[in-house]
Amino acid sequence: MAAVEEAAGIIRAGGIVAVPTETVYGLAADARDSAAVARIYAAKGRPSFNPLIVHVPDLAAAERIAVFDADARALAARFWPGPLTLVLPVRAEAGIASLVTAGLDTIALRVPAHRAMQALLVASGAPLAAPSANASNAISPTRAAHVAASLGGAVALILDDGATATGVESTIVAGRTILRPGPVTMEMLREVLPVAAGTTAHVSAPGQLATHYAPRKPLRLGAVTREAGEWLIGFGAVEGDDTLSASGDLEEAAARLFDALHRADAGERDGIAVAPVPEIGIGVAINDRLRRAAHR
Ligand code: TXA
Ligand code: MG
């Protein structure tokens, strides 16, 4: 694909490009190039203490950057490529820019399952640092149009490969603790390891700021009816102006979540309300993102 070659050229020249993954669109740069990584932080307006996830094409590439123990290898074997990020001790000799890890001695790594991101990893030959491709504290992008609206002129190239399939950011695991709930659910992880949910008190993911996904409008959760001036996003039996999933399918709801929030935020109503979503499976990640979006 010509667009991938163009994107790889921009990466090799120290630039940044927006690229879809199976979760959300990322804003990618060569993780070994500190000037390039600085461009990501600048484009997002992100505080520099917030470390980035590094994407690699496969487990072998990941093992050249971080030290895997038996637990990490078991999780990687089961869930890579896919929406799971592992926090592991970084190898100094891998040459990862310290701006990527924000000075920590650990690194967040994942092998994404998306043809465009995989093609870019191969064509650029670089480990790609890529946070979600939105302005800091704004709603994550699941479509190229969301990236353009949020970052506009700050990004030279957006690889458009349609809406992302999974819709919420990857699950982050450090050791046996879930730092961020995501598409790889606690139930799925527990088929491999006895993991536990991290509490916000002990979150060592500095990016887990409470306001991380805020829309501009007030957001009311657990809504079963629409109040004056609200745009209601339904789920299952709760019909709204829009729905995450009319049939109550949680995977569908996750895939639609950020697009629904983007549309609600861009619309004419003054407030947003969202129907209750069950706290099971990927519903845990959906509710995590909704609570952050509602917090102000
Ligand atoms: O699905 C995803 O993970 C997307 C796509 C683009 O891959 N990326 C993403 O990146 O969500 P970002 O930058 O928005 O979130 C990265 C999270 C932050 O909460 C950050 O604090 C945490 O990963 N993180 C990064 N390095 C870490 C480390 N060494 N220890 C703990 N948390 C870390
Ligand atoms: Mg983000």
Side-chain angles (χ1 to χ4, degrees):
M1 204 167 34
V4 170
E5 281 309 321
E6 189 187 346
I10 293 172
I11 296 287
R12 283 192 297 266
I16 56 176
V17 298
V19 53
T21 77
E22 73 276 43
T23 58
V24 301
Y25 275 69
L27 188 58
D30 185 337
R32 302 162 302 187
D33 180 341
S34 55
V37 175
R39 288 189 185 100
I40 296 179
Y41 284 103
K44 283 180 65 82
R46 170 177 248 192
S48 60
F49 55 76
N50 193 350
L52 307 178
I53 294 173
V54 173
H55 302 68
V56 290
D58 51 33
L59 176 59
E63 296 215 34
R64 288 194 287 274
I65 294 177
V67 181
F68 280 64
D69 60 11
D71 284 1
R73 236 175 245 122
L75 291 174
R78 173 69 179 78
F79 297 112
W80 282 357
L84 176 69
T85 294
L86 298 175
V87 173
L88 299 165
V90 64
R91 294 184 191 277
E93 68 273 21
I96 299 297
S98 61
L99 204 49
V100 169
T101 54
L104 300 172
D105 53 13
T106 54
I107 188 166
L109 282 179
R110 86 178 185 99
V111 176
H114 191 286
R115 60 182 183 179
M117 182 50 133
Q118 276 287 344
L120 184 59
L121 285 165
V122 171
S124 67
L128 294 176
S132 51
N134 51 276
S136 193
N137 294 336
I139 303 165
S140 290
T142 56
R143 297 175 179 274
H146 299 159
V147 180
S150 189
L151 296 178
V155 187
L157 182 72
I158 303 171
L159 282 178
D160 185 350
D161 199 9
T164 63
T166 305
V168 292
E169 300 87 345
S170 61
T171 307
I172 304 181
V173 172
R176 294 183 169 185
T177 302
I178 300 173
L179 297 185
R180 178 173 75 182
V184 177
T185 64
M186 165 117 66
E187 294 86 339
M188 292 162 71
L189 291 165
R190 283 188 174 160
E191 287 173 15
V192 178
L193 275 185
V195 295
T199 61
T200 21
H202 109 283
V203 162
S204 62
Q208 297 299 83
L209 305 173
T211 55
H212 199 64
Y213 301 88
R216 284 165 304 167
K217 297 176 183 174
L219 178 64
R220 189 167 67 86
L221 303 183
V224 290
T225 54
R226 184 191 301 99
E227 287 178 5
E230 279 181 344
W231 174 267
L232 177 61
I233 301 172
F235 177 84
V238 178
E239 288 177 38
D241 301 288
D242 188 6
T243 183
L244 295 176
S245 170
S247 65
D249 180 319
L250 287 169
E251 312 276 329
E252 180 182 34
R256 288 190 182 174
L257 175 67
F258 289 135
D259 193 43
L261 289 175
H262 276 285
R263 272 183 284 120
D265 215 18
E268 285 171 4
R269 311 266 176 87
D270 297 330
I272 309 169
V274 185
V277 173
E279 185 79 359
I280 51 169
I282 199 171
V284 176
I286 295 172
N287 286 322
D288 171 75
R289 304 312 189 269
L290 282 173
R291 276 191 296 272
R292 290 171 200 286
H295 185 95
R296 54 192 61 231

